[in-house]
Amino acid sequence: MQQNGINNCLDGFIEHCKKHRLKITPQRCAIYREMIKLRHHPTIEEIFQAVSRELTNISYDTVNRTVGMFARIGLIDVVKAQSGPRRFDTDPRLHHHFYCLNCGTIIDFDFEDYDNLSLPEDMKKNHSILSKRVVLNGLCKNCREKKSPSSPPGDLNI
Amino acid sequence: MQQNGINNCLDGFIEHCKKHRLKITPQRCAIYREMIKLRHHPTIEEIFQAVSRELTNISYDTVNRTVGMFARIGLIDVVKAQSGPRRFDTDPRLHHHFYCLNCGTIIDFDFEDYDNLSLPEDMKKNHSILSKRVVLNGLCKNCREKKSPSSPPGDLNI
DNA sequence: CTTTTTGCAAAGCGTTTGCATTGAA
DNA sequence: TTCAATGCAAACGCTTTGCAAAAAG
């Protein structure tokens, strides 16, 4: 995934499903198609809204299970936020993340220096590594200027 | 945090609290003390169990709120798991993470090449960056050998 | 003395589960 | 024809909230 942009088309998606012995259903195709259009870390709810416009009778539950499945086979990334529903990273391009510890905002950024990091030998030997990313934590511009970081995190403003 | 090992002692902890105008309570000290003893990404429940042995009357709720607060001021890291309760990274040493997309296991690893990555200028300028880490995603040894990754993730076996 | 923190209980909300029905292969 | 996927509803469990009492500065 993620390291190449080829999977953007439905062909690549179908390929990926077959490899994992998942049946090609209209629901799965629609979910995949709508999902990759939504950048900015959509929630299940947001994906459900988008897919509903295509398949009016699809259930929230199917979207939930299917998106979870897509994450499990490495088609997309789970971005677990500090609070609220989990969000998904549907951007297949390689990129990196900054998390604000105070408000929970997640900011995508590009940085070439991070793109070609080599993998540790022992990790490569023992596991199958499908993607890599650098994650920074800190305080975002807004939160840095506030006096006390002790207020609970609000909704994500992504 | 994380980039130096000085905060291990209680003095550093008290310093950190004062900087954020948090009062020094016996509960907070006990939680901090027990928490850093627990490696392997403890849950709130696990931290609560450990602290309860010290302060028998502490409430689960206080542990929950306090640990969340510690994460918000950068004393520890939230580890985003695929499911189940959130876990915390209480290891102050710089290290990196591998996530298994199938079973949710999180593996810590060290790799010197990743330890001195420079930060992107625009990120440094706009935000306060408190820690950095490389995150790898893939299939762990066990899951790679299974045929179908379509079964739902079980409990984290960390 | 003032303000934060604690402890408890209840509510909230995202996620998971079970099962009958439907549909892909 | 078979076995996985879907849709629905209910259950579950983690997290959050509100508030009175207690404690820190």
Side-chain angles (χ1 to χ4, degrees):
Chain A
M1 50 160 308
Q2 204 151 230
Q3 323 295 23
N4 64 60
I6 303 169
N7 283 336
N8 282 10
C9 59
L10 261 191
D11 287 354
F13 163 71
I14 291 174
E15 202 66 29
H16 209 122
C17 283
K18 282 185 178 162
K19 192 160 63 186
H20 291 286
R21 293 172 201 167
L22 301 183
K23 298 186 174 174
I24 315 296
T25 66
Q27 289 90 337
R28 281 178 178 163
C29 292
I31 290 168
Y32 180 75
R33 227 183 305 108
E34 294 304 310
M35 196 180 62
I36 57 173
K37 283 196 232 158
L38 297 168
R39 293 294 159 86
H40 303 299
H41 315 297
T43 61
I44 297 283
E45 177 64 35
E46 286 163 355
I47 298 170
F48 171 67
Q49 295 297 340
V51 178
S52 290
R53 273 175 239 124
E54 302 283 315
L55 269 65
T56 35
N57 281 332
I58 199 168
S59 77
Y60 178 95
D61 195 58
T62 297
V63 177
N64 193 25
R65 261 184 285 106
T66 302
V67 174
M69 167 71 71
F70 286 171
R72 224 172 297 125
I73 65 176
L75 212 49
I76 55 172
D77 274 357
V78 183
V79 176
K80 189 125 205 233
Q82 284 189 350
S83 65
R86 57 185 173 172
R87 291 171 178 274
F88 296 85
D89 192 332
T90 57
D91 186 348
R93 294 174 307 117
L94 174 59
H95 62 276
H96 308 281
H97 282 165
F98 167 83
Y99 283 75
C100 177
L101 295 170
N102 189 53
C103 70
T105 295
I106 302 157
I107 297 172
D108 287 6
F109 68 93
D110 293 312
F111 191 47
E112 279 191 20
D113 289 15
Y114 293 169
D115 291 350
N116 295 306
L117 301 174
S118 59
L119 299 172
E121 278 307 320
D122 56 328
M123 281 290 145
K124 221 159 49 173
K125 199 175 61 191
N126 285 315
H127 317 288
S128 298
I129 297 181
L130 298 172
S131 73
K132 64 170 187 285
R133 158 173 300 153
V134 175
V135 174
L136 307 178
N137 287 285
L139 296 178
C140 71
K141 201 171 185 168
N142 280 338
C143 292
R144 187 171 56 175
E145 286 152 14
K146 292 178 199 158
K147 27 274 108 264
S148 162
S150 55
S151 54
D155 277 344
L156 302 181
N157 50 329
I158 305 181
Chain B
M1 52 162 302
Q2 205 152 232
Q3 322 297 23
N4 64 61
I6 303 169
N7 283 335
N8 281 10
C9 57
L10 259 193
D11 287 353
F13 164 70
I14 291 173
E15 202 67 29
H16 208 123
C17 283
K18 282 184 179 164
K19 192 160 63 185
H20 291 285
R21 295 171 198 167
L22 301 182
K23 297 187 173 175
I24 314 296
T25 65
Q27 289 90 339
R28 282 179 178 161
C29 292
I31 290 168
Y32 180 75
R33 225 184 305 108
E34 293 306 309
M35 197 180 61
I36 57 174
K37 282 196 233 157
L38 296 168
R39 292 294 158 87
H40 303 300
H41 315 298
T43 60
I44 297 284
E45 178 63 36
E46 286 162 355
I47 298 170
F48 171 66
Q49 296 295 342
V51 178
S52 290
R53 274 175 239 125
E54 302 283 315
L55 268 66
T56 36
N57 280 332
I58 197 167
S59 78
Y60 178 94
D61 194 58
T62 296
V63 176
N64 193 26
R65 261 185 286 106
T66 302
V67 174
M69 167 71 72
F70 286 171
R72 225 171 297 124
I73 65 174
L75 213 49
I76 55 172
D77 272 356
V78 183
V79 175
K80 294 95 187 170
Q82 283 189 350
S83 65
R86 57 184 175 173
R87 291 172 177 273
F88 296 86
D89 192 331
T90 58
D91 186 347
R93 293 174 309 114
L94 173 60
H95 63 277
H96 308 280
H97 283 165
F98 168 82
Y99 283 72
C100 177
L101 294 169
N102 190 54
C103 70
T105 295
I106 302 158
I107 298 172
D108 286 6
F109 68 92
D110 293 312
F111 191 47
E112 280 191 21
D113 289 13
Y114 293 169
D115 290 351
N116 295 307
L117 301 175
S118 59
L119 299 173
E121 279 307 318
D122 56 327
M123 281 289 146
K124 223 161 46 176
K125 199 176 59 189
N126 285 315
H127 317 289
S128 298
I129 297 180
L130 297 171
S131 72
K132 63 171 186 285
R133 157 172 302 152
V134 175
V135 173
L136 306 178
N137 286 286
L139 295 176
C140 71
K141 201 171 185 166
N142 281 338
C143 292
R144 187 169 57 173
E145 287 153 12
K146 291 179 200 158
K147 5 346 35 284
S148 163
S150 55
S151 53
D155 277 343
L156 302 180
N157 50 329
I158 306 183

